[in-house]
């Protein structure tokens, strides 16, 4: 296929604006999948995506379309819409020359539309604006076009109007992509060079790399080399995704394809790395850099016999999710484990769900935290550390307050778009979360775009849920890193029958310590099942107890409702109970269900 007849593009949008549905229609229209198979969101193939109804991984499909008697190769990438998966959008855009910016004609431009539009503009990509869901009665395409003009300077006449659900106007989208998105700016008559922009693990073939070829040609059997690690590998197989894997003999500049070459893990297969033919010198192919994680949590095996299996599962998952960072960690109570970094709480939950569903691992996850920065005042500690600053995300390692001179916490710049009637309540929420308003602009007579600087720790857990519930689902939110600022912090410890539980301790803003303490002990009272001993739950800062609750003793006999009779039935129930107990952590003879550590943090 000549380069001038290739188009590489992504579909970007806010959550639920219809990207995956539009991708389905494009695949059907080009014959990549057949109509009426009853399959929806074909590119959302992960179990977690189907269960949650959201895209978490960008997916690629190479499709063919005949336009004005010429056959075109279109490499389409469907991206996630949620802010926690924006790393997937950034990495996808590295392999594109244009984007379809999809906007829901009922809900209009939302916070993630704005964020994704700017990501595309930063990379100088051509934007094809498309309004979706025009079949819905209360859709207001004119108003949404007006907002797009105001916010992005997009000419309303250039906006295509479609219904991805019904297929209306989808052909025009495909044709517009061919007309306005430029062919890849690549060179075929030079040494092979390609960008790795995705990878995943295959049981039989090891790491598979999705590559975008920028120069030359790659053939099966050739030896390639990584620019980052300098290691060389023989190319075992090459395929393209249509959207299902389909073997090919070679890949030429401008094409996107999958290669298997005996790479084993994320240390060898690096997203953003350049590959080239062995012993040739080339420059780096892309300027993609993964986003920095914002939320950290400890991940530990339920018992140390599962350590090796969990490590292997984490390695495979990280291969497929380059935004996650991994550091070895250990805890006196939980043994050897890891401290993982995520882009947000949803990202963390999805990662853990995938660990369980795709790799059968059921780890213990400790309370998520952001990274605080401490300036030390204790000369001995400064000497030991070799510096007077200390970054800390594990509350259990929080030093004695007498050795700390200053505390700093990370901030984000948040963008909120909301209908005007919810502004009062949203400002209230932001103030409660220690936010400072930076600006407020009317998008039109009915909607406002507000910018707030907020402490990251105040938004990672439930800010988004609260925002959605007070605005009946209409307000949207996105955020980006905004540096650190001076603050006042304390370490809040939770004791069960007098014993501190490392997994539950947290670093909190000093003004919030009492409120958080009350809320946590109250929550724990509901979350920890009654047991044979009475349980005292205390929340303390140093030796001061800020809140306390008690769980009365009770013995749950699962066989109590069986009146004598069948012994096998009895054994079965006791076995089930024993299995349930395995999923719990034991502290001072108190069993704590392992999901407690996260659920206790949700307000
Ligand atoms: P994320 O990837 O999670 O961000 O979602 P998405 O943008 O891929 O949205 P998706 O395609 O999953 O669609 C979200 C919902 O909108 C689904 O229930 C679709 O059936 C519905 N939907 C998509 N397009 C249309 C449309 O043109 N008309 C109507 N009425 N509903 C649509």
């Amino acid at each position: 296929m000549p380069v001038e007849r290739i188009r590489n593009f992504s579909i970007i949008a806010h959550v639920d604006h219809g990207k995956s549905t539009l991708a389905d229609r494009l695949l059907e229209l080009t014959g990549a999948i057949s109509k009426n198979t009853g399959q929806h969101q074909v590119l959302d193939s992960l179990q977690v995506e189907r269960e949650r109804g959201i895209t978490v991984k960008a997916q690629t499909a190479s499709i063919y379309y005949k336009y004005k008697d010429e056959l075109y190769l279109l490499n389409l990438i469907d991206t996630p819409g949620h802010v926690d998966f924006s790393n997937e959008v950034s990495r996808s855009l590295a392999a594109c020359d244009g984007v379809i910016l999809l906007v829901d004609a009922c809900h209009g431009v939302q916070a993630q539309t704005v964020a994704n539009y700017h990501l595309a503009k930063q990379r100088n990509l051509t934007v094809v604006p498309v309004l979706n869901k025009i079949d819905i009665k209360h859709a207001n395409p004119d108003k949404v076009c007006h907002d797009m003009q105001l916010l992005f300077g997009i000419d309303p006449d250039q906006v295509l109007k479609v219904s991805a659900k019904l297929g209306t106007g989808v052909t025009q989208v495909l044709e517009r992509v061919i007309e306005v998105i430029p062919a890849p700016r690549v060179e075929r008559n030079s040494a092979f060079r390609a960008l790795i922009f995705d990878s995943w693990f295959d049981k039989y073939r090891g790491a598979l790399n999705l590559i975008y070829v920028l120069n030359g040609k790659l053939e099966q059997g050739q030896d390639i080399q990584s620019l980052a690690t300098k290691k060389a590998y023989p190319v075992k197989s090459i395929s393209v995704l249509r959207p299902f894997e389909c073997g090919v003999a070679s890949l030429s500049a401008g094409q996107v394809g999958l290669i298997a070459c005996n790479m084993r893990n994320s240390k060898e297969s690096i997203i953003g790395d350049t590959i080239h033919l062995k012993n040739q010198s080339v420059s780096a192919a892309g300027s993609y850099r993964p986003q920095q994680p914002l939320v950290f949590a400890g991940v530990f095996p339920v018992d140390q016999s599962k350590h090796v299996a969990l490590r292997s599962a984490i390695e495979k998952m990280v291969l497929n999710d380059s935004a996650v960072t991994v550091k070895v960690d250990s805890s006196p109570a939980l043994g050897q484990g890891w401290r993982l970094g995520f882009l947000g709480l949803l990202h963390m939950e999805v990662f853990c769900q995938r660990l369980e569903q795709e790799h059968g691992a059921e780890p213990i996850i400790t309370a998520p935290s952001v990274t605080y920065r401490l300036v030390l005042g204790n000369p001995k500690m400064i000497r030991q550390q070799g510096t007077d600053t200390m970054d800390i995300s594990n509350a259990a390692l929080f030093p004695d307050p007498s050795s700390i001179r200053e505390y700093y916490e990370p901030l984000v710049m948040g963008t909120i778009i909301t209908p005007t009637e919810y502004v009062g309540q949203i400002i209230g929420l932001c103030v409660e979360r220690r936010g400072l308003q930076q600006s407020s602009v009317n998008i039109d007579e009915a909607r406002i775009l507000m910018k707030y600087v907020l402490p990251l720790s105040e938004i990672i857990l439930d800010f988004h849920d609260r925002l959605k519930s007070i605005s009946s689902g209409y307000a949207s939110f996105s955020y980006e890193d905004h540096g650190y600022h001076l603050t006042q912090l304390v370490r809040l410890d939770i004791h069960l029958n007098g014993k501190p539980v490392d997994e539950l301790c947290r670093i909190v803003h000093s003004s919030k310590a009492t409120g958080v303490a009350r809320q946590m002990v109250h929550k724990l009272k509901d979350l920890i099942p009654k047991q044979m001993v009475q349980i005292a739950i205390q929340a303390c800062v140093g030796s001061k107890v800020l809140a306390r609750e008690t769980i009365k003793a009770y013995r749950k006999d699962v066989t109590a409702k069986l009146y004598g009779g069948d012994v096998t039935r009895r054994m079965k129930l006791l076995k089930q109970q024993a299995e349930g107990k395995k999923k719990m952590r034991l502290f001072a003879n108190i069993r704590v269900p392992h999901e407690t550590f996260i659920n206790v943090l949700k307000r």
Side-chain angles (χ1 to χ4, degrees):
M1 179 67 65
V3 174
E4 46 297 349
R5 280 195 269 122
I6 299 179
R7 299 291 180 271
N8 295 328
F9 65 100
S10 287
I11 310 179
I12 56 171
H14 188 74
V15 187
D16 275 351
H17 282 202
K19 293 173 295 293
S20 305
T21 310
L22 178 65
D24 278 357
R25 292 298 91 75
L26 295 176
L27 294 183
E28 283 172 10
L29 193 69
T30 54
I33 56 169
S34 57
K35 277 186 196 171
N36 310 324
T37 51
Q39 265 191 297
H40 301 296
Q41 280 107 16
V42 174
L43 297 183
D44 285 349
S45 52
L46 302 176
Q47 187 180 348
V48 57
E49 293 180 319
R50 298 203 164 262
E51 281 174 12
R52 291 180 181 247
I54 55 167
T55 307
V56 304
K57 271 294 293 175
Q59 293 293 353
T60 306
S62 299
I63 50 184
Y64 287 95
Y65 186 68
K66 203 165 192 181
Y67 177 60
K68 295 191 177 163
D69 292 334
E70 300 274 21
L71 193 65
Y72 285 83
L73 166 62
L74 310 174
N75 294 310
L76 144 79
I77 308 179
D78 177 24
T79 65
H82 196 284
V83 61
D84 278 25
F85 307 104
S86 52
N87 190 61
E88 290 290 306
V89 182
S90 325
R91 96 178 152 67
S92 306
L93 296 186
C96 289
D97 303 288
V99 295
I100 295 177
L101 178 71
L102 196 67
V103 183
D104 183 320
C106 305
H107 290 116
V109 174
Q110 298 291 334
Q112 212 51 40
T113 323
V114 179
N116 285 339
Y117 172 81
H118 289 302
L119 277 181
K121 276 289 162 192
Q122 275 162 20
R123 298 200 76 98
N124 275 329
L125 303 183
T126 302
V127 174
V128 175
V130 178
L131 277 194
N132 188 28
K133 309 197 186 182
I134 53 159
D135 57 294
I136 296 179
K137 262 206 195 108
H138 56 273
N140 195 343
D142 292 341
K143 189 172 146 301
V144 181
C145 282
H146 169 263
D147 292 354
M148 288 169 86
Q149 185 173 31
L150 195 88
L151 289 167
F152 311 133
I154 291 173
D155 177 356
D157 294 336
Q158 295 302 310
V159 182
L160 297 171
K161 299 179 181 70
V162 310
S163 164
K165 191 173 177 180
L166 305 180
T168 325
V170 174
T171 310
Q172 284 85 320
V173 174
L174 218 44
E175 297 185 350
R176 182 67 63 86
V177 164
I178 292 170
E179 283 161 6
V180 306
I181 293 180
R185 283 160 279 234
V186 295
E187 225 187 285
R188 287 209 164 153
N189 300 322
S190 56
F192 166 75
R193 187 173 71 136
L195 174 76
I196 300 182
F197 73 100
D198 198 3
S199 62
W200 56 90
F201 188 79
D202 180 273
K203 240 198 299 202
Y204 306 107
R205 295 175 290 173
L208 301 181
N209 294 309
L210 192 62
I211 60 168
Y212 174 43
V213 185
L214 285 123
N215 297 80
K217 186 174 176 183
L218 179 68
E219 286 173 15
Q220 199 171 322
Q222 284 182 313
D223 285 331
I224 54 162
Q225 199 170 353
S226 146
L227 193 66
T229 66
K230 308 283 177 248
K231 281 192 186 166
Y233 307 86
V235 177
K236 295 280 181 193
S237 71
I238 308 180
S239 46
V240 289
L241 300 167
R242 282 181 183 163
F244 309 105
E245 232 189 293
C246 179
V248 292
S250 65
L251 281 179
S252 298
Q255 277 190 289
V256 169
L258 198 61
I259 59 166
C261 58
N262 288 349
M263 284 188 185
R264 281 186 305 274
N265 54 37
S266 59
K267 290 193 188 76
E268 292 183 80
S269 165
I270 304 165
I271 308 299
D273 189 12
T274 301
I275 51 168
H276 54 88
L277 291 181
K278 194 176 163 187
N279 298 332
Q280 284 186 348
S281 74
V282 300
S283 57
S287 56
Y288 164 75
R289 229 185 275 133
Q291 277 175 19
Q292 292 304 309
L294 298 170
V295 181
F296 295 83
V299 175
F300 294 87
V302 175
D303 63 69
Q304 287 297 318
S305 69
K306 304 263 171 28
H307 186 271
V308 175
L310 182 58
R311 184 179 62 204
S312 151
I314 291 175
E315 268 174 15
K316 286 169 192 158
M317 276 296 305
V318 171
L319 183 67
N320 195 224
D321 190 344
S322 58
V324 176
T325 58
V326 183
K327 256 195 196 163
V328 173
D329 195 9
S330 70
S331 132
L334 296 168
Q336 294 295 318
W338 300 268
R339 192 145 200 94
L340 304 194
F342 305 94
L343 298 183
L345 197 65
L346 179 64
H347 185 206
M348 169 175 146
E349 282 180 325
V350 163
F351 185 90
C352 296
Q353 194 176 338
R354 289 186 66 192
L355 267 181
E356 199 172 323
Q357 290 178 337
E358 294 167 35
H359 302 285
E362 283 187 24
I364 292 167
I365 322 284
T366 66
S369 167
V370 304
T371 302
Y372 295 100
R373 187 159 294 161
L374 309 177
V375 177
L376 303 170
N378 177 331
K380 196 171 155 207
M381 277 184 80
I382 298 173
R383 255 194 323 273
Q384 272 170 0
Q385 299 265 335
T387 161
D388 68 343
T389 55
M390 178 180 183
D391 281 354
I392 183 165
S393 64
N394 184 351
L397 303 177
F398 199 75
D400 188 86
S402 63
S403 58
I404 304 169
R405 204 171 68 220
E406 284 166 357
Y407 301 87
Y408 290 85
E409 67 176 330
L411 300 174
V412 293
M413 175 64 81
T415 303
I416 300 169
I417 295 185
T418 174
T420 42
E421 63 257 46
Y422 305 112
V423 166
Q425 277 169 289
I426 291 176
I427 290 177
L429 174 66
C430 291
V431 170
E432 179 199 316
R433 300 300 170 91
R434 301 186 283 128
L436 282 179
Q437 196 179 70
Q438 306 297 302
S439 64
S440 170
V441 184
N442 280 57
I443 301 175
D444 53 38
E445 59 289 349
R447 292 199 315 154
I448 287 190
L449 185 154
M450 294 189 286
K451 293 239 177 216
Y452 265 91
V453 170
L454 290 146
L456 177 62
S457 62
E458 296 283 349
I459 62 155
I460 54 166
L461 295 176
D462 62 344
F463 181 81
H464 202 239
D465 292 344
R466 283 283 306 281
L467 187 76
K468 284 277 170 204
S469 84
I470 59 182
S471 66
S472 309
Y474 285 111
S476 62
F477 177 63
S478 78
Y479 59 86
E480 58 196 55
D481 189 9
H482 194 65
Y484 275 78
H485 88 146
L486 192 65
T487 189
Q488 199 56 45
L489 304 168
V490 293
R491 169 172 145 170
L492 184 69
D493 286 310
I494 299 290
H495 294 198
L496 296 182
N497 282 355
K499 292 247 160 62
V501 181
D502 271 3
E503 293 78 344
L504 291 170
C505 75
R506 287 174 72 181
I507 302 171
V508 293
H509 191 257
S510 54
S511 70
K512 299 239 164 156
T514 308
V516 174
R518 285 201 191 118
Q519 177 210 323
M520 278 185 78
V521 294
H522 188 73
K523 229 34 232 268
L524 284 167
K525 190 179 176 192
D526 289 343
L527 291 169
I528 300 176
K530 282 191 174 187
Q531 312 190 12
M532 282 166 71
V533 290
Q534 173 168 302
I535 305 168
I537 310 168
Q538 290 171 310
C540 321
V541 169
S543 56
K544 193 170 165 202
V545 179
L546 301 187
R548 180 196 161 109
E549 290 276 359
T550 307
I551 303 174
K552 293 248 154 62
Y554 163 68
R555 186 184 192 282
K556 186 166 185 253
D557 183 356
V558 286
T559 59
K561 54 181 181 287
L562 287 181
Y563 299 101
D566 188 359
V567 71
T568 54
R569 188 79 208 286
R570 225 181 161 79
M571 297 300 286
K572 199 172 155 196
L573 281 170
L574 286 169
K575 188 165 169 253
Q576 276 171 359
Q577 188 189 36
E579 268 166 15
K581 279 183 182 170
K582 263 197 227 154
K583 290 189 181 176
M584 297 197 192
R585 286 274 303 133
L586 200 61
F587 297 98
N589 272 338
I590 302 164
R591 292 190 182 277
V592 181
H594 73 332
E595 56 278 7
T596 305
F597 306 112
I598 291 180
N599 287 343
V600 70
L601 302 171
K602 295 184 178 166
R603 288 183 221 201

